Amino acid sequence: MLLRKQEDENLDVVKIDKTRSSVDKLESDLISLRQCISDTTSSILEMIDEELLPQLVALTAGYISQNLMQ
Protein backbone atom coordinates (compact mmCIF):
# COMPACT_ATOMS: atom_id res chain seq x y z
CA MET A 1 0.00 0.00 0.00
CA LEU A 2 2.87 2.34 0.81
CA LEU A 3 4.45 1.66 -2.56
CA ARG A 4 1.20 2.38 -4.38
CA LYS A 5 0.74 5.56 -2.38
CA GLN A 6 4.26 6.71 -3.21
CA GLU A 7 3.77 5.92 -6.89
CA ASP A 8 0.41 7.71 -6.97
CA GLU A 9 1.87 10.78 -5.32
CA ASN A 10 4.86 10.79 -7.69
CA LEU A 11 7.32 10.96 -4.84
CA ASP A 12 11.08 10.80 -5.17
CA VAL A 13 12.12 7.94 -7.44
CA VAL A 14 14.83 6.90 -4.97
CA LYS A 15 12.24 6.51 -2.19
CA ILE A 16 9.97 4.54 -4.49
CA ASP A 17 12.85 2.25 -5.49
CA LYS A 18 13.79 1.67 -1.85
CA THR A 19 10.20 0.81 -1.00
CA ARG A 20 9.92 -1.45 -4.03
CA SER A 21 13.14 -3.21 -3.01
CA SER A 22 11.78 -3.71 0.50
CA VAL A 23 8.53 -5.11 -0.87
CA ASP A 24 10.43 -7.49 -3.14
CA LYS A 25 12.56 -8.68 -0.21
CA LEU A 26 9.47 -9.22 1.93
CA GLU A 27 7.80 -11.20 -0.85
CA SER A 28 10.91 -13.34 -1.20
CA ASP A 29 11.02 -13.92 2.56
CA LEU A 30 7.34 -14.83 2.56
CA ILE A 31 7.85 -17.41 -0.17
CA SER A 32 10.79 -18.88 1.73
CA LEU A 33 8.81 -19.03 4.98
CA ARG A 34 5.87 -20.69 3.24
CA GLN A 35 8.24 -23.38 1.95
CA CYS A 36 9.70 -23.87 5.44
CA ILE A 37 6.20 -24.22 6.89
CA SER A 38 5.27 -26.72 4.20
CA ASP A 39 8.43 -28.76 4.80
CA THR A 40 7.88 -28.74 8.57
CA THR A 41 4.25 -29.78 8.19
CA SER A 42 5.25 -32.64 5.90
CA SER A 43 7.87 -33.80 8.41
CA ILE A 44 5.36 -33.73 11.25
CA LEU A 45 2.78 -35.69 9.26
CA GLU A 46 5.44 -38.24 8.26
CA MET A 47 6.47 -38.64 11.91
CA ILE A 48 2.83 -39.13 12.93
CA ASP A 49 2.33 -41.81 10.27
CA GLU A 50 5.61 -43.67 10.71
CA GLU A 51 6.33 -43.37 14.44
CA LEU A 52 3.54 -42.02 16.58
CA LEU A 53 0.57 -43.87 15.09
CA PRO A 54 2.20 -47.32 15.38
CA GLN A 55 3.14 -46.53 19.00
CA LEU A 56 -0.43 -45.47 19.75
CA VAL A 57 -1.80 -48.66 18.19
CA ALA A 58 0.64 -50.79 20.21
CA LEU A 59 -0.20 -48.99 23.45
CA THR A 60 -3.93 -49.25 22.81
CA ALA A 61 -3.68 -52.95 21.96
CA GLY A 62 -1.65 -53.56 25.13
CA TYR A 63 -4.13 -51.65 27.24
CA ILE A 64 -7.09 -53.54 25.80
CA SER A 65 -5.30 -56.87 26.19
CA GLN A 66 -4.45 -56.09 29.79
CA ASN A 67 -8.03 -55.14 30.61
CA LEU A 68 -9.43 -58.28 28.98
CA MET A 69 -7.14 -60.48 31.07
CA GLN A 70 -8.41 -59.00 34.36
Side-chain angles (χ1 to χ4, degrees):
M1 288 176 22
L2 176 61
L3 179 58
R4 286 186 192 138
K5 182 179 177 181
Q6 288 177 345
E7 289 172 339
D8 290 344
E9 293 176 359
N10 291 323
L11 293 181
D12 183 24
V13 174
V14 174
K15 284 185 178 181
I16 292 173
D17 286 343
K18 284 183 180 180
T19 303
R20 184 176 287 116
S21 177
S22 294
V23 169
D24 290 343
K25 173 78 168 92
L26 287 171
E27 286 177 340
S28 175
D29 290 348
L30 183 60
I31 290 168
S32 177
L33 289 170
R34 282 180 177 161
Q35 184 60 49
C36 288
I37 290 169
S38 177
D39 292 346
T40 302
T41 302
S42 294
S43 295
I44 291 170
L45 291 174
E46 183 178 328
M47 182 182 292
I48 288 171
D49 289 343
E50 293 179 3
E51 295 180 30
L52 299 177
L53 187 58
Q55 290 177 22
L56 178 60
V57 170
L59 286 170
T60 304
Y63 177 75
I64 290 172
S65 175
Q66 184 180 20
N67 282 337
L68 290 176
M69 295 177 84
Q70 290 179 357

